[in-house]
């Protein structure tokens, strides 16, 4: 994935797509060749339900609701945020390896069983669970929303000690 002309290009061996954003918080997936994120059926369903407009634009919540249990949960927002807003040093290119693939020392796979790559868009490398004695967690949510819940309940957005917390 890389930024190009106000969008983010997603390349895969079988295809190419663009993730587009608007100032009003809208997101759109434009498959140019193939369907690398496998979102076309979801987008058509969203259009049919009135959650996306005729051109495929929908807000972040609609995309999360439609994709939280997909192979790539919340991919449009996650891709856009990887390059804008949620990172101190945005990348030039973002790689997401398929499950069971990694980049690193050749011998690494001899002493560890790899199940996912940190930051991958795949579901198994993305989702986790939340346990709480303070509130009933949502069925699914972004980590930014979880931080807001923690702040409301605990008065702070992290459980890290103050000296290790980066606002």
């Amino acid at each position: 994935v890389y930024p190009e002309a106000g969008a983010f290009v997603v390349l895969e061996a079988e295809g190419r797509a663009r993730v587009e954003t608007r100032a009003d918080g809208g997101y759109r997936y434009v498959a140019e060749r193939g369907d690398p994120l496998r979102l076309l059926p979801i987008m058509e369903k969203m259009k049919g339900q009135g959650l996306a407009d005729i051109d495929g634009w929908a807000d972040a919540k609609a995309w999360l609701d439609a994709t939280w249990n997909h192979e790539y949960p919340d991919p449009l927002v996650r891709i856009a945020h990887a390059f804008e807003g949620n990172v101190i040093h945005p990348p030039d290119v973002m790689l997401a390896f398929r499950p069971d693939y990694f980049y690193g020392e050749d011998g690494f796979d001899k002493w560890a069983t790899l199940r996912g790559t940190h930051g991958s868009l795949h579901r198994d490398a993305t989702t986790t669970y939340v346990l709480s004695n303070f509130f009933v967690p949502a069925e699914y949510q972004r980590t930014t929303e979880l931080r807001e819940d923690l702040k409301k309940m605990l008065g702070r957005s992290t459980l890290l000690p103050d000296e290790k917390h980066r606002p």
Side-chain angles (χ1 to χ4, degrees):
V1 180
Y2 61 91
E4 178 185 84
F8 307 99
V9 176
V10 179
L11 292 177
E12 185 185 58
E14 297 83 29
R16 175 188 164 106
R18 295 171 61 83
V19 173
E20 299 177 347
T21 62
R22 290 192 308 209
D24 68 358
Y27 293 83
R28 176 168 73 164
Y29 178 70
V30 179
E32 297 176 341
R33 186 180 76 248
D35 182 9
L37 294 179
R38 296 162 208 33
L39 291 176
L40 289 178
I42 291 172
M43 188 170 58
E44 290 306 314
K45 185 177 178 182
M46 291 170 67
K47 287 179 185 180
Q49 295 172 334
L51 300 172
D53 70 18
I54 192 73
D55 296 320
W57 288 100
D59 65 25
K61 181 175 180 349
W63 279 109
L64 176 62
D65 291 345
T67 62
W68 75 272
N69 62 353
H70 181 257
E71 177 182 359
Y72 304 113
D74 202 23
L76 306 188
V77 173
R78 293 179 62 221
I79 287 170
H81 285 190
F83 290 93
E84 299 175 343
N86 279 355
V87 292
I88 294 171
H89 303 288
D92 294 320
V93 174
M94 181 175 71
L95 299 175
F97 293 102
R98 290 184 176 151
D100 298 328
Y101 283 82
F102 70 94
Y103 177 80
E105 289 292 325
D106 290 339
F108 182 72
D109 59 344
K110 290 182 180 36
W111 60 270
T113 302
L114 186 68
R115 298 287 181 219
T117 303
H118 175 74
S120 171
L121 291 175
H122 289 272
R123 180 173 181 71
D124 290 346
T126 299
T127 57
T128 190
Y129 56 88
V130 175
L131 301 174
S132 174
N133 290 329
F134 305 103
F135 63 98
V136 177
E139 182 178 9
Y140 57 90
Q141 68 184 153
R142 294 183 182 97
T143 55
T144 52
E145 295 161 352
L146 177 58
R147 262 188 238 115
E148 291 168 13
D149 287 347
L150 286 171
K151 193 163 188 152
K152 286 178 196 169
M153 294 293 143
L154 305 174
R156 56 188 301 138
S157 60
T158 180
L159 299 178
L160 291 173
D162 289 336
E163 65 274 7
K164 294 189 177 190
H165 177 241
R166 230 181 18 190

